[in-house]
Amino acid sequence: MIMLKTEEEIALMTRAAELVAETHQILRREVKPGVTTLQLDAIAETFIRDHGGIPAFKGYRDFPNTLCASVNHEVVHGIPSARVLREGDIIGLDLGAIVHGFYGDGAVTVPVGSVAPPIDTLLAATEEAMYQGIAQARVGNRLSDIGHAIQRHVEAHGFSVVRDFVGHGIGRHLHEDPQVPNYGRPGHGSRLQVGMVLAIEPMVNVGGPQVRVLDDHWTAVTRDGSLSAHFEHTVAIQPAGPPKILTMSKERVGVT
Ligand code: MG
């Protein structure tokens, strides 16, 4: 069942989502050759707790950390470790925060130092695909219009969309109905309506869409070893026009 949110609830959710965005801003500055993913995790946890939030992923189904840190061919759900980032790596930084009992969820994938131009293209195309999907998240459209727009943009670049993981509704729970696939034919699924809050999160592989989960039971990697990128925003459907992106830091609201 889709839990619609009131304006007041969305205002509360915005604080959690802003904290996610602010944590990303902090982490972007810290991603550099020589840093470990566990150091990034500690920075994220401290920042969230210092700003009145609770890390949403830590303890969720026994996930051990604040941050999902997914490097190179890791798609999502990488567990922070003593792994040292190296020049030319890419790292997905997926994190959530709980404030006032509501969740915010967001992800970015960033280069470590400078990366080869084809990798820049992967990152740009994945982020663009997310925004193409977000643009379809408007009243009157149907759920699959989001995934269709994402898939079309990704495949136009010769990349592939992961099927095994999808976006989701979000609110008092991290994962609520509906599921939001990043692929599909347009015009199917629930009609989008005011009060829906969705986490839209394409995962895009350079090679095939297949993934497998490592023995740690969390880390998903591309089956063919190709690179993968992941971007995510939490958005609220508006009475008209495109949705409000909640995972924006205050300084950046209105800029994009
Ligand atoms: Mg999510």
Side-chain angles (χ1 to χ4, degrees), residues 221-240:
V221 300
T222 56
R223 215 170 260 201
D224 59 13
S226 67
L227 292 176
S228 187
H230 177 211
F231 284 83
E232 176 179 26
H233 271 313
T234 296
V235 309
I237 307 292
Q238 297 297 292

Side-chain angles (χ1 to χ4, degrees), residues 97-161:
I98 309 166
V99 181
H100 306 306
F102 284 94
Y103 285 77
D105 190 5
V108 296
T109 301
V110 298
V112 181
S114 59
V115 296
I119 303 178
D120 278 329
T121 305
L122 170 69
L123 301 185
T126 306
E127 188 170 23
E128 288 159 12
M130 175 188 65
Y131 282 112
Q132 299 263 330
I134 288 172
Q136 294 301 316
R138 55 177 72 212
V139 165
N141 278 3
R142 288 189 186 268
L143 198 57
S144 78
D145 294 328
I146 297 170
H148 177 72
I150 290 170
Q151 181 180 18
R152 192 174 51 185
H153 190 78
V154 167
E155 293 181 353
H157 284 82
F159 302 133
S160 65
V161 167

Side-chain angles (χ1 to χ4, degrees), residues 57 94 105-106 166-168 174-175 199 201 230 232:
F57 297 173
D94 188 1
D105 190 5
V166 297
H168 49 94
L174 179 57
H175 295 124
E201 50 173 324
H230 177 211
E232 176 179 26

